[in-house]
Structures are given as C-alpha cells and as structure tokens.
Amino acid sequence: MSAIPPFAWLGIDLGGTNIKAGVVSDAGESLSQVSLPTEPERGPEAGIRRLCEAGELAIERSPLSREQIIAVGIGAPGTMDIPAGMLLEPPNLPGWDYVPIRQLISEHFELPAILQNDAQAAAYGEYWVGAGRGANSMALWTLGTGVGCGIIVNDVIIQGEHSHGSHAGHIIIEWQNGRRCSSGQFGTLEAYCSAYALVARCEEALQAGRESVLAEWRQTEKLTPLLISRAAEAGDALAEELILDTAMYLGIGTTTLMHVINPSLFVIGGAMTFGRNETALGRRFIERVREEVRRRGFPIPAGQTPIDYATLGENAGYIGAAGQARRAFPLPS
Amino acid sequence: MSAIPPFAWLGIDLGGTNIKAGVVSDAGESLSQVSLPTEPERGPEAGIRRLCEAGELAIERSPLSREQIIAVGIGAPGTMDIPAGMLLEPPNLPGWDYVPIRQLISEHFELPAILQNDAQAAAYGEYWVGAGRGANSMALWTLGTGVGCGIIVNDVIIQGEHSHGSHAGHIIIEWQNGRRCSSGQFGTLEAYCSAYALVARCEEALQAGRESVLAEWRQTEKLTPLLISRAAEAGDALAEELILDTAMYLGIGTTTLMHVINPSLFVIGGAMTFGRNETALGRRFIERVREEVRRRGFPIPAGQTPIDYATLGENAGYIGAAGQARRAFPLPS
C-alpha cells in the first residue's frame, strides 16, 4: 500500500444479506474493510443504524480520521430515486419503502453523500480499479438472485431519467411464450439466467424425467445454483447443460447490449459465476458466453470485445460507491 | 429567421436515394437546403463529387460565404469506422467499401469534417432542435428499409467502441425460432418491424389464405408498406393488423431500450411512419407502441416517458450532422 493519503471517501454497500463498507483512496485503494450482517427483517431504522455502524467501523479501521473523509457513497438494491437519494420499494429489503437513505447517512456522518444502485456501483468499481481499468466504456452483469447490470460510457454511469437506466436484466429476449420473471414480466433475460431461473429450469427438467444425480441429491438437499454446480463438477450432464444454457442466455443478452452500447468490454460478476476462472466449470461458462456472442453478434464488435470475469469480488460495490462519491465530491484543489 | 449569423456549419446527409445538405446556424436554424439524387450505382468517385456539389450548392444558397463555415458534418448509412472517418461496407451503397469519406470531403472544402452514422445524425438533429429539444437524453428509432437508432445521453451520442453503438435495430427480441433479419441474424427487432419485415409478414398472411383487398391489389401493384397502409386506410382488417403488429414489435424493442437507457423520451421517425400524427393510422400506430410499452415496462419509466413522432422530417440528418460538427468544432470564442 502507498503512503497514507490526506483524504479519502467512504463507500457503503447495502446488500440483502451483508453490509460492506470501506474507506477508499483517490487511487481506488481500500484503506479498510468491514462486513456486517444486514438483518433486513429488523426494519429500516435498525438497518440505517447498522449502515452507520459499518461506516464508523470502516473509518476507525482505516489510517485516516473522520475529518479526512470527503464524502460518502452508498450502493443499495432495488428501485430508487437517485436524485432524491431515496429507496422506493426494494424487493430484498421488505419494509424499507421510501427510506430517504442518502439524507439519513449524510446527517449521521455530517458529510455529503450520494446514493447509487448496487449493480451500478459495482460496475463503477470494476471500471475504476478492476477488470475495466483504463477502458472508455464497460458493461457489467451481476449474476445472482436477479440479473443486475451497470453501464458506464465516458466515465458516466447510465442512470436514466427515472433512475431506471442500466437495468438490462429486464430486456426482453423472447417476446412470445417467454418465461416468467420475478418482476411479473415475461421473456426477460432475468427469467432465463438468474439463480431462480436456473433452479426453475432444473426443476422442470427433473420433473420431465431427465436423468441426473440431482434427482437423488434433492431428496436431502435444497436445489440451489451451488448444488447444481456441484453436480456439474461431478460430471452430471444435465447440470452442466443447464449451467451452459445460462451462459447461452447471458450471451444473447450480451449481444443485445453490444448492439445498443458497444462498450469497450463486458465484465461478469455476482455470486452465480461458478468459481470464475478458478474452476473448469467457470472457464467453460464464460467461454460459452463468448461463443454465443460470436455466433449472434456483428463480426467486428463480437470479435474484438473482451468478455471477462470481474476481479474485485464482493468489494466492487463499496469501492464503486466511494468512487461515485469521489466523482461527485472531488479532492479539494 | 433571425439575423444572419457570422458563422455556421455545413451538414450533408448521404442517403441511398438522395443527398440532403444545408448550412445550419449556431441556433440550429437551416440557412439553406439542397437535395440531389445519390445515384449510388455510379460508384463512390461520382458519389463523392455529388456530395461536394450538394455542399457547395448549400453554401451558395445560404446567406453566408464559404469563409463563414466552420466545419462539415457528414451522415452516412451502414457500417463505418467513425474515428477513422471511413465507410466500411455500406449495404445500400454497393461498391463504396472503405471510402475515406471524411478526408475526401474535408480536402474538398478545406475544412475540418466529422463522419457520423445517419440514424445517429438524425437523432442528434431531433435532440438538438426537434422533438427532443431540451431533453437530457433521447432515443430515436428510424423506421424504413431497416430499423435505425440513435441514442443520446447527456449531449453525447452512444457511438460505441467499434462505431457499433446505438445499433438497436439488431437487438434480439426472440432468441429461439426468430424471424430472419437482412443481416443474416435471427430474431432481431429489424426482422419484425422493418419495411421488408412488414412486406414479408403480409406475403405470409396472404399465402396462408387470409382475406384482404391486398390479395387483389397485388395482382397489379407491388406489395410495399405504402400499399399496405393504403389498404389499412381503406378499412382492410389484415393490413391494419399487420401495421399495428409492427407497432407492437417496436413497443417491445422500446421496452428493452427503456430498461437499458431509460432516456427522457423516445422519438420515432423514418419513412415508414404511416403519416405520423397527420393520419388516423399514424395516430393509432404510435398509440399501439405506447400501449405495448405500458404493458411490458416498469410502471414509472413506462408511465412517464413520452413516445412521440420526430418533427424535423427528412432534414433531421443534415441538421444533426451539422450539429455534431458544431460540437466537435465549436464557435471561435
């Protein structure tokens, strides 16, 4: 780590399960890291206190004092009004509707704050100091319960007029007879390649009588993406097929995004990435995404656009949230 | 018109059929207008001469002298390398492959020049002084032989890393069993709602024995979008259904683009717009687009994003090309 910088930014990433926080330097270095359980069922008041606690701990564990923190960036899930700094109706945080999160955090720390969508914060983190470092533009997919997305063009996140930009998990890939998405829509990308979609497709295959070790395993264990990936790694043909189909669907969505944005690169992150480059399955997964893009895309962008895994792991969110705070409230000159 | 300005920009829009050119003021006013036939079959050398002729005429017919023109903006169809100023392999201009159009025009006029995709130039024109005036962001669809698109976010056109940004006519709306697009891909938006797709869907319906006045008309006339719209206006149920299906498909594509960009507004232009707000069919067409977006989109963006017809007509291209030249080469200060 370099010399202790005179100023830094605090990033806080509010997830449905954990809150991550850290103090981040002007160069994008994490000077501290904190993880606390969110326990969203305790409601928004307790949640805001927990967010503040995580932020305080991050400052305490960093080599900087509170006076050296310039601003706070918050990443949060679900629908929100970014200019108003307010959560709307986040599906993974029941009861947190219409919480003015930016104002509450800003008042607690007595610092300016910005609110950002979590996938977009993660995208900015990867773009700033991760897999997209040095690129002009980037699109990040976060594969998990849902399919998150963050798009950056010329250093600006595509946030949209109603804070609904970069929500490419909801693009329609099958206008007719499409699978049902948790949002209630049909034929969206998320309806095909989210964690719940993988499990649903697996259920259907097993019910249709497809042979698989999962028919036995599910007697004692819950059918999850992790269980399906363990079956695939043990050589189960159905499990591998279902996972590579997920990659195919993601390749279709990536092709559509390439036609709209044509970013310098695509980055894939999130919990459902099958070990990324560390496992044979993870390497086959991303190769299948690339293959589908080459098959469906136009030759020049499809042949020349890198598609890689994210490199910051679970830290991308708070780093990117701090990075967005740095953009909005730069170093005093 | 305001007082004659001291400086202006020249915009030239190269179409497969006509070349449009005009001198455009700092306020986006057209100070002159020219239209000449392209005659692309005469090849690129004759074509470049014709482009220069159109530009010269536009300057001559304007109240400004050549010394008052700051730069030239060129809009052109098909694939191109925008930073290199070069056409690649434009499908509507056979033989014009790898023409360094920006350099040739720049040398002729002894002025700096920029090259831009035609749909993106039209989008910038509408954003600057047309249907999108005053908006923060905008997406334009141009419905014609193909489905063009131009996307502007914070005054910047989404051009992409390989000059392939804003090509949303190629987004995939049906990943499986999709209709074939002229690009050779399957299930793209263009495969459903371009002029050739409308004619193909009509052919299929007539061959399947659907009742329509077009079965008779086509004995003596070529089946075109215009003929189909005449049948719809005469009360033909099949013709109206086919046209409103085109609007439905466009609504699906618009929903996808809303999830990616969430622009301030959508604008629909191009030749295949059925008389726009001037005809009952044009009004039903755009209402059907809006209906599909409300049905498929998220409530806030779908309920609050205007979807309107373009207002600059065939002039949007050269005005936007001049506007892009103005952005790249602003007024001397």
Side-chain angles (χ1 to χ4, degrees):
Chain A
M1 195 174 287
S2 333
I4 297 170
F7 294 103
W9 291 263
L10 172 61
I12 309 178
D13 183 21
L14 167 59
T17 310
N18 290 304
I19 293 165
K20 305 248 174 205
V23 169
V24 181
S25 77
D26 192 50
E29 272 182 315
S30 284
L31 306 175
S32 63
Q33 272 181 33
V34 172
S35 179
L36 297 178
T38 308
E39 302 175 306
E41 65 284 359
R42 296 170 64 222
E45 272 187 55
I48 294 289
R49 279 199 301 274
R50 184 62 59 89
L51 281 173
C52 294
E53 193 188 334
E56 293 288 357
L57 264 173
I59 297 172
E60 210 178 292
R61 289 183 190 170
S62 83
L64 271 66
S65 69
R66 197 189 182 109
E67 291 64 40
Q68 293 171 283
I69 307 296
I70 293 177
V72 188
I74 311 149
T79 54
M80 61 184 62
D81 182 335
I82 293 175
M86 187 175 293
L87 304 180
L88 297 178
E89 298 170 351
N92 296 329
L93 301 169
W96 288 55
D97 302 355
Y98 303 98
V99 172
I101 185 168
R102 186 189 64 200
Q103 187 195 331
L104 295 169
I105 297 294
S106 175
E107 284 174 2
H108 174 88
F109 288 99
E110 298 180 343
L111 285 171
I114 58 114
L115 174 65
Q116 187 63 63
N117 169 283
D118 55 357
Q120 292 167 34
Y124 194 80
E126 292 287 345
Y127 166 82
W128 184 24
V129 289
R133 190 196 283 263
N136 293 318
S137 55
M138 193 194 93
L140 171 85
W141 295 112
T142 58
L143 294 182
T145 311
V147 177
C149 180
I151 302 166
I152 292 138
V153 177
N154 298 329
D155 209 40
V156 175
I157 296 180
I158 303 282
Q159 286 186 172
E161 179 73 15
H162 312 96
S163 306
H164 188 73
S166 290
H167 281 51
H170 301 288
I171 63 173
I172 298 160
I173 67 166
E174 183 86 19
W175 70 272
Q176 204 175 16
N177 307 318
R179 297 185 67 89
R180 192 174 192 281
C181 173
S182 69
S183 73
Q185 297 304 321
F186 290 86
T188 65
L189 180 62
E190 185 167 308
Y192 287 82
C193 74
S194 59
Y196 70 78
L198 174 62
V199 171
R201 289 190 285 109
C202 187
E203 294 271 14
E204 289 162 20
L206 294 174
Q207 274 164 28
R210 288 287 302 272
E211 213 173 287
S212 166
V213 69
L214 288 163
E216 194 193 314
W217 289 7
R218 69 178 306 203
Q219 307 293 325
T220 52
E221 284 189 82
K222 196 170 169 230
L223 200 57
T224 61
L226 187 62
L227 195 73
I228 298 169
S229 74
R230 275 176 38 212
E233 276 164 351
D236 187 76
L238 176 66
E240 172 160 337
E241 176 190 316
L242 292 165
I243 286 171
L244 294 185
D245 280 353
T246 300
M248 175 191 70
Y249 296 128
L250 189 63
I252 292 166
T254 301
T255 305
T256 278
L257 217 49
M258 187 175 278
H259 287 308
V260 178
I261 304 293
N262 180 211
S264 307
L265 84 161
F266 286 92
V267 176
I268 302 175
M272 203 175 74
T273 35
F274 310 103
R276 307 193 182 183
N277 290 318
E278 304 304 308
T279 68
L281 184 62
R283 292 189 294 272
R284 281 210 297 285
F285 181 84
I286 200 159
E287 193 40 59
R288 184 69 187 82
V289 178
R290 294 174 184 140
E291 184 191 321
E292 194 66 22
V293 170
R294 284 194 299 267
R295 197 166 81 76
R296 292 183 181 262
F298 276 31
I300 291 175
Q304 298 182 9
T305 308
I307 300 174
D308 293 316
Y309 280 122
T311 59
L312 300 180
E314 295 192 331
N315 300 331
Y318 81 76
I319 294 173
Q324 280 289 292
R326 172 177 166 272
R327 265 200 105 243
F329 304 101
L331 270 187
S333 58
Chain B
M1 196 174 286
S2 333
I4 297 169
F7 293 104
W9 292 262
L10 172 62
I12 309 179
D13 183 20
L14 168 59
T17 310
N18 289 304
I19 294 165
K20 305 249 174 204
V23 170
V24 180
S25 76
D26 193 48
E29 272 182 315
S30 284
L31 307 174
S32 63
Q33 273 180 33
V34 171
S35 179
L36 297 178
T38 308
E39 301 175 307
E41 67 283 359
R42 295 170 63 220
E45 273 188 55
I48 294 288
R49 278 199 302 274
R50 184 61 61 90
L51 281 172
C52 296
E53 192 189 336
E56 293 289 357
L57 263 175
I59 298 172
E60 208 177 293
R61 290 182 190 173
S62 82
L64 272 65
S65 69
R66 197 186 182 114
E67 290 66 39
Q68 292 170 284
I69 306 295
I70 293 177
V72 188
I74 311 150
T79 55
M80 60 185 64
D81 182 334
I82 292 176
M86 188 177 290
L87 303 181
L88 296 179
E89 296 169 352
N92 296 328
L93 301 169
W96 288 55
D97 302 355
Y98 304 97
V99 172
I101 185 169
R102 186 187 64 199
Q103 187 195 331
L104 295 170
I105 297 293
S106 175
E107 285 174 1
H108 174 88
F109 289 98
E110 296 178 345
L111 284 171
I114 58 115
L115 174 65
Q116 186 63 63
N117 169 284
D118 54 358
Q120 292 168 35
Y124 194 80
E126 292 287 344
Y127 167 82
W128 184 25
V129 288
R133 188 198 284 262
N136 293 317
S137 54
M138 193 195 93
L140 171 85
W141 295 112
T142 58
L143 295 182
T145 311
V147 177
C149 181
I151 301 167
I152 292 138
V153 177
N154 299 328
D155 210 39
V156 175
I157 295 179
I158 303 282
Q159 282 184 178
E161 180 72 15
H162 312 96
S163 307
H164 187 73
S166 290
H167 281 50
H170 301 287
I171 63 174
I172 298 161
I173 65 165
E174 181 89 15
W175 71 271
Q176 205 175 17
N177 306 318
R179 298 184 66 90
R180 191 173 194 280
C181 172
S182 68
S183 72
Q185 297 303 320
F186 290 86
T188 65
L189 181 62
E190 185 167 309
Y192 288 83
C193 74
S194 59
Y196 70 78
L198 174 61
V199 171
R201 288 189 286 109
C202 186
E203 294 270 12
E204 289 163 21
L206 294 174
Q207 273 163 29
R210 289 288 302 273
E211 213 174 286
S212 165
V213 69
L214 288 162
E216 194 193 314
W217 290 6
R218 70 179 306 202
Q219 306 295 326
T220 51
E221 286 187 79
K222 195 167 171 238
L223 201 56
T224 61
L226 186 62
L227 195 72
I228 298 168
S229 73
R230 272 175 42 210
E233 277 166 349
D236 187 76
L238 175 67
E240 174 160 334
E241 177 190 316
L242 292 165
I243 286 171
L244 294 185
D245 280 353
T246 301
M248 175 191 70
Y249 296 127
L250 189 63
I252 293 165
T254 300
T255 305
T256 278
L257 215 50
M258 188 176 277
H259 287 309
V260 178
I261 304 291
N262 182 209
S264 307
L265 84 162
F266 285 93
V267 176
I268 303 174
M272 203 175 73
T273 34
F274 309 104
R276 309 196 180 181
N277 290 318
E278 305 303 309
T279 68
L281 184 62
R283 291 190 294 273
R284 280 209 298 285
F285 182 84
I286 201 160
E287 192 41 58
R288 184 71 187 85
V289 178
R290 294 174 183 139
E291 184 191 320
E292 196 65 22
V293 170
R294 284 193 300 266
R295 195 167 83 76
R296 292 184 181 260
F298 276 30
I300 291 175
Q304 297 182 10
T305 308
I307 301 174
D308 294 315
Y309 280 122
T311 60
L312 300 180
E314 295 191 331
N315 300 329
Y318 81 77
I319 293 174
Q324 281 289 293
R326 171 178 166 271
R327 266 200 103 245
F329 303 101
L331 270 187
S333 57

